[in-house]
Amino acid sequence: MKHFEALVTLLAAFCLCATANAQTVKLRNPNPKPRAVDERAIPETQASLPDQDVQDRDEFESEDEESPVEETGDSSATPNQDVEPDATQPEEQEDASASQSPAALGVLIAPPESPRDLPPREARDVVPDAMRMTLEELVPTKLLRDPRVLRALARTPRVEFVPKKRRELAYLNTEVPLESGRALETPFNDAFLCEAIAPKPEDKVLVVEPGAGFCAAVLTELVDDVYLVGIDKNLTRAAVPTIKELKYSNLYVRFGELESGWQECAPFDKIVIVGGVKEIPEELIAQLKDGGRLVAPIGDALSQTITLCEKSGENVERRPLLTVSLDMLEQPVKPKGTANIELVTGDFETVTPEPYEDESAATTLEPRGTASVIKFAPRRATPVGWCDGRLFEVVEGDAFEGARACLFDNATVRAEQIKKAEKAARLEAATLPEDRKSFTEYGQTIKERQLETERASQLRQKLSLDGAVVKKAIFSGAYRVEALDSSGQGITLARVVFYDKDRRELETRDVLKSVSTTPNWREFHEEIQVPFRAKSADLLIGALDGVGVVRFDALQIRNKADRSSSPRR
C-alpha cells in the first residue's frame, strides 16, 4: 500500500513538472502564433485586459526577470537592481492619459487611430422580409426617392435590433417598443432621414440616436464610416453584440449626450439625429464640415418637422422637409394625467412651407450607372401637427371655416390602377401562352399590397391623453364626401388607435363613416370611449377604407366632462 501511494505521488509530481515545462516552452516561444482579435476591441490601458491575459503577461515578465544577466564586468549589476523613476513622467500625466482612454470616453467600439484604406465592401444579402416590407409599404408611398437607400434597407436585418418579444413587429412599418420606454422608429422615418443627407460612398457620418443602432446600420451600406452616439447607455451597450455579430466593420459606437456628439472624431460630412429635439445644439453644428448636411426632427413631443441644415461658413441654411411624430431624443419626465385634450391645426390654416424652391432639383434622380432620370411628384405642404400624409392636399377656398380645408382623394389613383390592370390584361391576352409570365402567389400578394398602399389616403396626429383621467372624448368638425365608390360598402373617414404606457396597441375604433355622398358640408359630433389603460392615441382621418374624395375642416377633440381633473375610479 505504501508503494502504491508513493507511485501516485510520483505520477502527480511528474504531471505537474510536465505542465510547468509546457507553459515555459509556450512562454519562451520567440514566434508565438498571433490571436485573431479585432484590433478595435483591444483596450489602450492594461487595466482593461482580461484576467487570463494579465496572468500570462505577469508570468512572462517574471520569467524575464529570473533569466541570467550577461556579464559586463561590473559586479554591482544585478537582475533586480532598483531603477529610479523618470521624473519627466509625473503621476498627473498618467491620470490624464487614463481619463482619455476609450472606456473613460464611453467608447464601446473604437474607430481606428489612423486613416486606412478600406477594401471594397461586398454587398450584403437581401433579407426577404425586409425586401417585402420595402416593396409593399415603403415604395408605394412615393416619398422615398433614392433607390440606394431602399436597397440598403432591404439588406438590413431589422429583426436583430428589436427585442425578442417584439420580433413580430420587426418588418412592419411601425414603431417597436424598446427598454426604458423608448421605441425603435419606423423604417420609413429612418429611411427618410438617411435619404435627406444625400449620402455619398466617401462620407463620414455621425448618427445620434437612443442607441438601438438600426439607422446607423442602414447607413453602413451607403458610406465609408459611421459613428454612432447612443443617448441611452443601456440600449447602446445592448446593441454592441449585435453590431459585432453582424460584422459592421465600419460602425463605431459610444454612449454620450446629445450636445457632446463625438468631438474627438470631428468634423463629419453628414450628421443624422434620430429622434425629436427642441433645437439643434450648436456643439453638433460645430462638428459639421463646411458644406456638410445635418438632418433632425425639430419640434415638441407631439409633432416635429424633419429639417435639413446645410452649413456654409458661419451660416446654416434650414429647410423643412416633412412633418413627423417621433419620440423625443432626450425624453422629458412623463407628465401626470391631464384632463385637457388638444388637436393641433384642426382648421388646416397653418402648413409647413414647400421643402424646395427649385422643384426640378428636388423631384429628379439619376441612379448611379444609368442614363435614365426618375421623376417624382413634388412633396406637398403638410398641416402643422399632422404626419404620415398620403394622397391629400390642403386646398384654398370652398372651406367650412376660414380659407383652407384638407382634401383626400384616392379615387383618381384607383381609376389609374384600373386602367393599368386593363392594359396589362389586354397585353397578356395578345401574347402567346408560352411567352406569358405568370405571377407566383407570393408575387401576386406583394402586388396587391402595393396597390392597397398606393390607395392609402390619410393624415395622422398623435394625441396625449390619459384614460385614468379622461373617460370620454368628443370629436367634432365638418366633412363633405364628394365622390364614393359604387360598391355600396361606404367609407371610413376617421379612426382612433389607443396605446398603453409601453406603446402597445390596446384598441382601434372607427369613429366616423359615410355610406353616401354629401354635396354640402355636414357637421358631426362623435363620442369616443377612452380605455382606462390608454396613455396615448393616434387620430387618423381621410379615405381610410374604400375609395372616394373627402374634405375635412374645423376639426376639434375635447374632454366630454367639463370638470374632470381627478382620475376616475
Side-chain angles (χ1 to χ4, degrees):
M1 188 67 178
K2 294 181 179 180
H3 293 288
F4 177 74
E5 293 178 354
L7 179 61
V8 171
T9 304
L10 182 62
L11 289 174
F14 177 77
C15 292
L16 290 175
C17 292
T19 304
N21 291 335
Q23 291 179 351
T24 303
V25 171
K26 178 181 178 181
L27 291 172
R28 291 182 176 179
N29 183 9
N31 296 312
K33 183 179 180 180
R35 296 181 181 181
V37 179
D38 188 355
E39 295 181 357
R40 299 172 302 162
I42 298 177
E44 294 183 1
T45 58
Q46 293 181 348
S48 301
L49 290 173
D51 295 339
Q52 184 61 41
D53 290 344
V54 173
Q55 183 179 356
D56 293 345
R57 186 196 65 218
D58 292 341
E59 291 177 2
F60 189 88
E61 292 176 352
S62 63
E63 184 177 355
D64 288 343
E65 292 175 358
E66 295 176 358
S67 59
V69 179
E70 183 179 357
E71 295 183 2
T72 58
D74 187 1
S75 60
S76 62
T78 61
N80 297 323
Q81 183 178 6
D82 294 336
V83 180
E84 293 293 333
D86 188 358
T88 62
Q89 297 179 355
E91 295 182 358
E92 289 78 2
Q93 291 185 2
E94 295 180 1
D95 295 339
S97 62
S99 64
Q100 297 299 319
S101 65
L105 296 174
V107 178
L108 303 176
I109 300 180
E113 296 182 358
S114 59
R116 77 243 187 257
D117 294 329
L118 287 174
R121 293 191 303 273
E122 296 182 1
R124 293 177 178 268
D125 294 335
V126 170
V127 181
D129 287 337
M131 174 63 80
R132 176 195 54 76
M133 176 192 66
T134 303
L135 293 176
E136 290 183 4
E137 302 192 43
L138 303 185
V139 172
T141 66
K142 300 181 180 179
L143 292 174
L144 299 173
R145 310 176 178 211
D146 191 341
R148 294 192 310 125
V149 174
L150 294 173
R151 285 195 294 266
L153 200 67
R155 294 189 176 110
T156 307
R158 191 170 185 248
V159 69
E160 301 295 337
F161 296 87
V162 304
K164 291 183 178 180
K165 59 183 178 180
R166 300 278 189 273
R167 290 196 166 182
E168 71 277 4
L169 303 176
Y171 295 111
L172 299 177
N173 188 30
T174 185
E175 298 175 348
V176 179
L178 301 174
E179 302 298 331
S180 305
R182 296 184 179 273
L184 185 67
E185 295 301 336
T186 67
F188 173 85
N189 287 334
D190 285 328
F192 192 93
L193 290 169
C194 292
E195 182 181 297
I197 61 171
K200 298 179 180 179
E202 65 273 14
D203 280 344
K204 175 181 174 184
V205 180
L206 173 66
V207 179
V208 184
E209 62 167 85
F214 176 73
C215 185
V218 174
L219 280 168
T220 60
E221 299 287 326
L222 302 168
V223 301
D224 271 352
D225 293 293
V226 181
Y227 295 75
L228 168 62
V229 176
I231 302 300
D232 190 299
K233 183 183 296 185
N234 294 330
L235 283 179
T236 308
R237 288 187 182 276
V240 170
T242 299
I243 292 171
K244 290 183 177 180
E245 181 180 354
L246 296 176
K247 299 181 180 179
Y248 288 110
S249 59
N250 58 334
L251 176 54
Y252 320 112
V253 184
R254 66 166 293 187
F255 56 82
E257 301 296 331
L258 171 64
E259 295 82 3
S260 62
W262 203 324
Q263 180 62 46
E264 296 77 15
C265 299
F268 299 96
D269 300 289
K270 312 288 171 58
I271 298 178
V272 180
I273 300 178
V274 186
V277 294
K278 293 183 178 180
E279 191 54 61
I280 301 174
E282 291 295 333
E283 293 84 350
L284 282 186
I285 295 179
Q287 295 181 28
L288 186 65
K289 283 185 179 180
D290 188 21
R293 288 186 166 197
L294 183 152
V295 64
I298 302 176
D300 54 28
L302 293 179
S303 175
Q304 308 93 32
T305 299
I306 294 180
T307 304
L308 176 64
C309 302
E310 295 185 272
K311 186 176 181 180
S312 178
E314 298 296 329
N315 300 322
V316 178
E317 179 185 355
R318 299 192 177 196
R319 292 187 289 178
L321 301 181
L322 190 69
T323 302
V324 293
S325 182
L326 279 66
D327 287 343
M328 298 299 288
L329 190 59
E330 293 185 328
Q331 287 186 322
V333 178
K334 292 185 178 180
K336 296 182 179 180
T338 176
N340 298 323
I341 310 175
E342 183 180 2
L343 193 65
V344 180
T345 323
D347 57 3
F348 307 103
E349 296 296 324
T350 307
V351 299
T352 57
E354 291 290 346
Y356 300 101
E357 295 180 2
D358 184 2
E359 201 60 60
S360 61
T363 57
T364 60
L365 173 69
E366 186 172 353
R368 183 183 301 176
T370 66
S372 61
V373 176
I374 303 175
K375 294 185 178 180
F376 298 90
R379 293 188 179 117
R380 300 185 182 278
T382 304
V384 172
W386 298 88
C387 62
D388 293 346
R390 308 275 184 85
L391 299 180
F392 77 96
E393 183 179 4
V394 177
V395 294
E396 300 281 350
D398 198 12
F400 180 75
E401 291 181 357
R404 291 175 173 172
C406 193
L407 174 69
F408 298 86
D409 180 5
N410 61 359
T412 304
V413 172
R414 179 56 179 164
E416 293 176 355
Q417 290 178 348
I418 293 175
K419 289 182 179 179
K420 290 180 180 179
E422 292 174 349
K423 182 178 179 180
R426 289 195 300 268
L427 181 62
E428 183 177 1
T431 306
L432 295 176
E434 57 268 20
D435 294 332
R436 294 177 184 174
K437 294 181 180 180
S438 59
F439 275 120
T440 64
E441 183 177 353
Y442 176 71
Q444 185 64 33
T445 302
I446 290 181
K447 187 63 176 179
E448 291 175 357
R449 286 286 295 130
Q450 285 181 330
L451 295 176
E452 181 181 344
T453 306
E454 286 180 358
R455 293 196 300 269
S457 180
Q458 67 176 40
L459 277 174
R460 179 174 71 92
Q461 185 167 150
K462 184 184 295 184
L463 302 176
S464 178
L465 55 81
D466 190 339
V469 176
V470 180
K471 183 178 180 180
K472 294 181 179 180
I474 298 297
F475 177 47
S476 62
Y479 71 90
R480 188 171 73 188
V481 180
E482 300 179 3
L484 198 63
D485 65 351
S486 57
S487 62
Q489 298 178 355
I491 187 171
T492 301
L493 304 179
R495 178 178 295 148
V496 179
V497 183
F498 295 99
Y499 302 93
D500 65 7
K501 61 182 180 63
D502 295 323
R503 194 64 181 172
R504 296 188 183 94
E505 184 176 328
L506 290 175
E507 191 175 340
T508 300
R509 294 181 184 173
D510 293 340
V511 297
L512 186 62
K513 290 187 176 183
S514 179
V515 296
S516 62
T517 59
T518 55
N520 300 319
W521 285 99
R522 177 176 295 179
E523 295 186 69
F524 66 91
H525 293 76
E526 298 293 334
E527 182 178 293
I528 305 173
Q529 184 78 27
V530 180
F532 182 81
R533 294 191 297 128
K535 297 300 179 183
S536 64
D538 285 346
L539 172 65
L540 294 94
I541 62 171
L544 303 180
D545 291 332
V547 178
V549 180
V550 187
R551 289 179 188 248
F552 284 93
D553 200 4
L555 301 183
Q556 294 182 353
I557 191 167
R558 60 179 177 83
N559 187 359
K560 182 180 179 181
D562 295 334
R563 297 179 180 180
S564 180
S565 58
S566 60
R568 74 178 193 259
R569 300 179 181 178

